[in-house]
Amino acid sequence: MKLKKRNVFIGITSFLIVLFTMPLGHALMILMEHLMEPVTMHYATFFMGLIGLIMVITGVFAKGDTQQTLWGLFGSLLFWTGWIEFIYVYYAHRFGVQPLIVDGEVVTKPEYLIMPSSFGFWIMFMLLYLFNIKSGCDFFNYLQRVFFRNSKVQVEMRPMTRHTSLVTFMELNLILWTNYMVLLFCYDDNFIGDRHPITALVAFGCLVGSLFMFRRLINISQWGYALRFSIATVVVFWTFVEVMGRWNAFHEIWVEPMTYQSEMITIFLAFIVLVTFLWYKSIKNKKTL
C-alpha cells in the first residue's frame, strides 16, 4: 500500500500525542503522591476526576470530530487518573494494603494489588460490547463474526448513539483497564509470574501487534480517527514497555520525575506543542472528519 506523506504525518503526530500521555500520567501520579499531603491529594484527585467527566460531556457538544476526540481523550485521562487509579490508592492506604516487595524493592504498589478484584465488572463491559454493540474494534468484530455467523439465536449488533467524545472516553478507559488486568494477572506468581514465558509472549505479542496497528495508523487520513486509533496502538505498545520496565531492561524515568526533570520537561513541552498544533488545526477546520 502506497503511503501518503500527509497520512504518515497525521499518524505519527497522533501516536506521539497519545504516547506522551503515558509517561506524563505516571509522573503526575508520582509527583502528587510525593508533594501533597494525603488529605489534600485525595481532594485534588476527586476534583481531577470531576473535571475529566465535565470535559468529556463538554466534548459531546463540541463541533468537529477532532475537537470531540480531544475533549474525550483528555477528559478520560483525568477521569481515569482521578476517579479510578487514585480511588484504588485511597482505599489501599485506608485499609493498610501492603505493597509487594521483592528483594527489598517495591515491585507492585498496593493499589495495583487490589485492582484485579474488578475482574467481574470488566467481564460485564466485555459482554455488553460483545453481544450488543457494533464497534470499530477489529478484535470484537472478529469475535462477533466467529460467534454469531452461524448462530440460530438472533443477535442484533447496533452502533451506540455516536457521541465521539463518549466513544473516546469508553475506548481509553476500557483498554487501559484491560491492559492493567492482563499485566497484573501476568505479574501475579499465583497465576503466571512476571518471568514466565507466557508473560514474555504477551509482551512481545503486543509489540508485534502494535507494529501492525501502527502500519494501519499511518494510512489514516482523518485526525480524529487517527487519534482514536492511536489510543489502542499506544496502549498495546505500552504493555510491552511495562513488561520491559518490570524486567529492568531500561530505566523508567517517569517513575522518578524529580530526578529526571529535564527529560520529563522536554516530553511535556513536546506534548504541549503537538496538542496546541492539533487544536489549532481543529479550530481552523471545523469540518474535520
Side-chain angles (χ1 to χ4, degrees):
M1 184 181 297
K2 186 176 180 180
L3 297 177
K4 296 181 180 179
K5 290 183 179 180
R6 180 178 180 274
N7 294 359
V8 173
F9 175 73
I10 289 173
I12 292 176
T13 302
S14 301
F15 180 83
L16 289 176
I17 287 174
V18 180
L19 179 65
F20 288 158
T21 65
M22 297 293 136
L24 291 174
H26 279 288
L28 176 62
M29 287 192 68
I30 298 295
L31 288 172
M32 292 182 73
E33 289 176 328
H34 282 79
L35 299 179
M36 291 183 173
E37 294 295 327
V39 174
T40 304
M41 181 185 71
H42 294 312
Y43 277 112
T45 55
F46 175 82
F47 284 106
M48 179 190 296
L50 180 61
I51 291 170
L53 183 63
I54 292 171
M55 290 174 67
V56 172
I57 296 172
T58 301
V60 172
F61 303 98
K63 300 296 183 181
D65 186 69
T66 304
Q67 282 199 34
Q68 292 171 8
T69 301
L70 287 170
W71 280 111
L73 171 62
F74 298 124
S76 57
L77 284 168
L78 293 178
F79 179 90
W80 174 269
T81 304
W83 278 10
I84 297 180
E85 289 204 78
F86 269 109
I87 288 290
Y88 280 108
V89 172
Y90 170 77
Y91 280 104
H93 290 177
R94 176 176 170 181
F95 295 110
V97 179
Q98 297 301 308
L100 178 62
I101 299 176
V102 177
D103 297 328
E105 180 183 353
V106 174
V107 294
T108 305
K109 292 184 175 181
E111 56 268 25
Y112 299 124
L113 292 177
I114 61 177
M115 187 177 285
S117 64
S118 65
F119 178 77
F121 292 102
W122 178 78
I123 290 294
M124 287 168 53
F125 279 96
M126 294 303 105
L127 283 176
L128 174 67
Y129 274 83
L130 181 61
F131 285 92
N132 292 89
I133 295 173
K134 181 179 179 181
S135 71
C137 175
D138 289 339
F139 179 66
F140 276 113
N141 292 337
Y142 169 76
L143 290 179
Q144 288 165 352
R145 288 195 301 270
V146 169
F147 290 141
F148 308 133
R149 178 166 33 193
N150 300 315
S151 176
K152 295 180 181 180
V153 179
Q154 182 66 30
V155 179
E156 293 190 26
M157 295 297 169
R158 298 178 180 272
M160 297 176 69
T161 301
R162 185 171 179 81
H163 296 298
T164 302
S165 179
L166 294 179
V167 170
T168 308
F169 172 78
M170 292 302 297
E171 177 189 358
L172 181 64
N173 281 287
L174 285 175
I175 197 168
L176 279 176
W177 192 5
T178 303
N179 167 264
Y180 273 104
M181 298 294 284
V182 169
L183 287 176
L184 291 171
F185 278 115
C186 282
Y187 292 163
D188 193 335
D189 289 330
N190 290 324
F191 294 102
I192 299 174
D194 60 6
R195 302 290 172 169
H196 196 280
I198 292 178
T199 302
L201 181 63
V202 168
F204 287 98
C206 285
L207 174 62
V208 173
S210 67
L211 293 176
F212 280 101
M213 295 171 75
F214 186 78
R215 170 66 178 176
R216 177 174 168 182
L217 173 62
I218 57 177
N219 281 283
I220 296 173
S221 60
Q222 299 86 23
W223 281 104
Y225 179 31
L227 272 173
R228 295 190 296 275
F229 197 83
S230 292
I231 292 172
T233 307
V234 167
V235 175
V236 170
F237 171 71
W238 200 259
T239 303
F240 169 76
V241 174
E242 289 282 358
V243 175
M244 292 300 103
R246 181 84 171 198
W247 290 354
N248 295 317
F250 62 90
H251 193 74
E252 298 172 286
I253 61 173
W254 45 87
V255 176
E256 303 175 46
M258 297 303 294
T259 303
Y260 297 93
Q261 294 183 36
S262 299
E263 291 84 352
M264 295 308 302
I265 290 174
T266 300
I267 293 174
F268 177 70
L269 291 177
F271 172 74
I272 293 298
V273 169
L274 291 175
V275 171
T276 302
F277 164 77
L278 186 51
W279 191 263
Y280 169 76
K281 290 281 289 184
S282 69
I283 293 175
K284 188 176 179 181
N285 184 9
K286 293 286 187 180
K287 297 182 179 180
T288 299
L289 299 177

